[in-house]
Amino acid sequence: MRRRIIPLFNGLIWAIFLGSLPLTAAMAAGGNCAALGPLPATVEVGEGQQQELQSPVPITRLAVGDPKIADVRVNGNQAFLLTGMAPGTTSLMVWTACASAPRQSMVFVQGRATAAMTSAARLPSDDPALPSQVQTDIRFVEVSRTKLKEASTSIYGKNSNFLFGSPGTVPNTAVTPRVLPLRNIDPRIAVPSIPLANDVFNIVAGGGNFLAIINAMESSGFAYTLARPSLVALSGQSASFLAGGEIPIPIPSANSNSYSIEYKEFGIRLTLTPTVVSNDQIALKVAPEVSELDYNNAVTIGGTTVPAFTIRRTDTSISLADGESFVISGLISTQNGSQVSKFPGLGDIPILGAFFRSSSISREERELLMIVTPHLVQPLAANAQLPSLPGEKLRNYDPNWYRLYFLENGDFDKRSGLSQ
């Protein structure tokens, strides 16, 4: 029995000493399968790039879930070569002589643009104590400001056929009232027609048979949109979120007068894949999108009004620490417009030319930001008290008649536990 042990022991010593095998491989060669550790939870490789992975024991079989995303080939007895074929995610399984069950890992193939950005990043840690769940908060902030100025002049003879003014100031046809009972007379038809513009402010001066009208307006507007979707996903797994709806769109059939219905989604959509690299690093692939119906650019199909879609989206990969924020996309857009309508020649006269032209200036500014913030999270304990849900205190709200009439002032926010 002693003669068998000594040569085996000497073989291990020589293998380690000569450096022909790593320590774990030498132990496995001696029949110690305990040296076989788990594969990394995730493996990243760039599109069109290769990565060699070592195994401490001989490999008997290899397989990937989707060969179109990644390819794997044996490179000797204890190594294999992983090649990124196309951007995406797939699974990797490795069988060895030590166990019938394969070791599994997730393979992330990055596009050529993102692979260069993250080539220096460390691979995910195999520490089992590493948090495995990530909550990602996305904030969409959109601010729109508008400014409009208009000015024009109209000259009108009430009892004659004379009228001068900017386009769009043609008077209504005056109607002579009939002899009707007093209660049936519309007072508007008893007043001579005056070319007033309904979409601006009008200043009328004059009397008798002559009126001068100045149409002027200055307007400004402000719009603010904020959306804050939040999604929790397991490290290395993809998740999606949609808050919106679907609108039916008629699709004409080929060589037929019939229509088929296709539903188009709209609203707030979020698709992400977080990967916990370490306790202070989270690799995040995120694709947020906000879409809304636009009836100003609608089209008519088969007698049905089909709206257009206003879409803001981005698709990117970033690396952040727990709680850090990044502006993943931004837009500052400014549109200025100016239009002058004038009577040829007379509108060019200094000062007096103002009575023979109409001017308008418009300005629109839009700012859009998308901000992402990941957090490492843990589930609540089994017996922990859950946080107050939105509107929880108003779920059974049913005031009596006295409280509803005398005390209710509509101040629900302070007692409803609404989301902040």
Side-chain angles (χ1 to χ4, degrees), residues 325-387:
S325 298
F326 223 121
V327 178
I328 58 176
S329 64
L331 170 68
I332 298 178
S333 175
T334 302
Q335 294 182 354
N336 295 328
S338 178
Q339 183 176 359
V340 177
S341 301
K342 60 184 178 181
F343 191 87
L346 297 179
D348 297 327
I349 301 175
I351 302 177
L352 295 179
F355 297 100
F356 301 94
R357 64 174 177 258
S358 173
S359 304
S360 65
I361 297 176
S362 62
R363 179 183 178 90
E364 181 179 0
E365 296 179 350
R366 176 167 296 183
E367 298 181 24
L368 173 66
L369 289 178
M370 292 186 183
I371 307 172
V372 59
T373 307
H375 300 278
L376 296 175
V377 294
Q378 296 290 345
L380 294 175
N383 298 324
Q385 183 179 1
L386 296 177

Side-chain angles (χ1 to χ4, degrees), residues 3 31 58 116 149 160 162 164 169 223 297 396 398:
R3 293 180 180 178
K149 294 182 179 181
S160 64
F162 174 75
F164 178 83
T169 59
N297 298 313
N396 298 321
D398 186 15

